[in-house]
Amino acid sequence: MIEFFALCLLLGTVVGFLAGLFGIGGGLIIVPSLVYLLPMIGIPHEYLMSTALGTSFATIVVTAFSSAQRHHKLGNVDLSASKIFIPTIMASVFLAGLLISNLDTQLMTRLFALMVFYLAGRMIFSLKKGPENKPLNTKVLVSAGAIIGALSSVAGIGGGAFIVPFLNSRGLEMKKAIGTSSFCGAFLGLSGMFSFMVSGWNVSGMPDYSLGYIYLPALVGITLTSYFTSKLGANAANVLPVPMLKKAFAVMLVLIAINMFLK
C-alpha cells in the first residue's frame, strides 16, 4: 500500500504539471497509469478500467472546482450558457457512466484508446476552427451537452478538449470558453464520480477504502500533489516552447493508446 500511495503521489506530480503546462485534463494520463498501478493493491482485472475511470473523475472534481473558482473571480464564466449546459452534461455523463462501467474491460480499454487517438490527433495537427458565429441557444447546448458527456465518460476526462472548441466556435471568446469549460467540467466530474460510485457499489472483490469504482487512496495521493504542481505547469507555460512540447506529448499519448489497444 505504501509503495502504491507513493506512486500515486508521483503520478499526481506529473499529471498536475502537464495539466497546467498544456491545459489538458489529467484523465488522459491518470486512466492508463491506474490501469497499470491498480493490480498492485488487488483490483480484479474485470474492474480495472471502471476503477481507473471512476477514480479519474473523482480527481477532476477537486482540481476543476479549484480552477473554476479562479475563473469565476476573473469573470470568465458564462453563467447563462452554464445553467443549461451543466444539467444536460451531468445527466449524460451519469447515464453513460452506468452503461460503460458494465462493459467488458477489453472493450472499455479499446474505446478509451480510440478516444486518446482522436484527442492526440487534435494536438499533433492543431485542428482548430475559427469562430463560426452559430447561435448558442438551448437546443444547441442540450445536444452538445449530451454528446460531450457521453464522450467524456469513455475517456474519464473533464471534457475541456470538447467544450472549449465548441463554445469558442459559437462565439464565446477563448478566455470565457476556457473558464466556462472549467466550471462545467467540475460538475461533469462530479456526475461521473457518482455514476461510477453507484455502478460499483455492490460489486464484490474490491479492496478496502473503495467507494464503488473509486479507490480513495489513489484519489488522495493524486490530488495531494496535482493541486500544487498544476500551478508550476502554468508558470512553465510562459517560458517553455509549449506548441512543440504539446506535439511530443501527443505522440507519447498515441504510443500509450496503441499499447492499451493491442493489450
Side-chain angles (χ1 to χ4, degrees), residues 162-174:
F162 304 111
I163 297 173
V164 172
F166 164 71
L167 291 177
N168 186 236
S169 72
R170 296 287 168 163
L172 248 63
E173 61 175 314
M174 187 55 73

Side-chain angles (χ1 to χ4, degrees), residues 107-212:
L107 177 58
M108 292 173 66
T109 302
R110 289 182 174 178
L111 286 174
F112 174 82
L114 289 173
M115 189 62 64
V116 173
F117 279 132
Y118 169 74
L119 294 173
R122 289 183 62 92
M123 294 172 70
I124 292 171
F125 299 109
S126 300
L127 302 178
K128 296 180 181 179
K129 295 180 179 180
E132 299 173 19
N133 295 320
K134 293 183 179 179
L136 193 62
N137 53 39
T138 300
K139 182 179 179 180
V140 169
L141 286 169
V142 170
S143 300
I147 295 170
I148 291 172
L151 294 175
S152 298
S153 288
V154 174
I157 60 176
F162 304 111
I163 297 173
V164 172
F166 164 71
L167 291 177
N168 186 236
S169 72
R170 296 287 168 163
L172 248 63
E173 61 175 314
M174 187 55 73
K175 286 184 179 179
K176 283 212 167 186
I178 294 172
T180 305
S181 174
S182 270
F183 188 54
C184 295
F187 288 94
L188 185 156
L190 187 65
S191 183
M193 180 187 75
F194 280 122
S195 178
F196 281 88
M197 188 186 299
V198 169
S199 60
W201 193 258
N202 293 316
V203 168
S204 60
M206 293 291 288
D208 294 337
Y209 311 112
S210 297
L211 285 177

Side-chain angles (χ1 to χ4, degrees), residues 11-12 15 25-35 37 52 55-57 59-60 112 156 222 226:
L11 174 59
V15 165
L28 294 176
I29 293 296
I30 292 173
V31 173
S33 298
L34 287 180
V35 166
L37 293 178
T55 305
S56 176
F57 276 123
T59 64
I60 289 170
F112 174 82
I222 292 169
S226 66

Side-chain angles (χ1 to χ4, degrees), residues 36-51:
Y36 288 102
L37 293 178
L38 289 171
M40 293 174 59
I41 43 86
I43 298 289
H45 173 75
E46 60 267 30
Y47 305 143
L48 275 181
M49 275 301 293
S50 295
T51 307

Side-chain angles (χ1 to χ4, degrees), residues 18 56 73 91 113 123 143 167 184 232 238 242 248 263:
L18 292 176
S56 176
K73 287 182 178 179
M123 294 172 70
S143 300
L167 291 177
C184 295
L232 296 176
N238 291 322
V242 173
K263 285 191 173 184

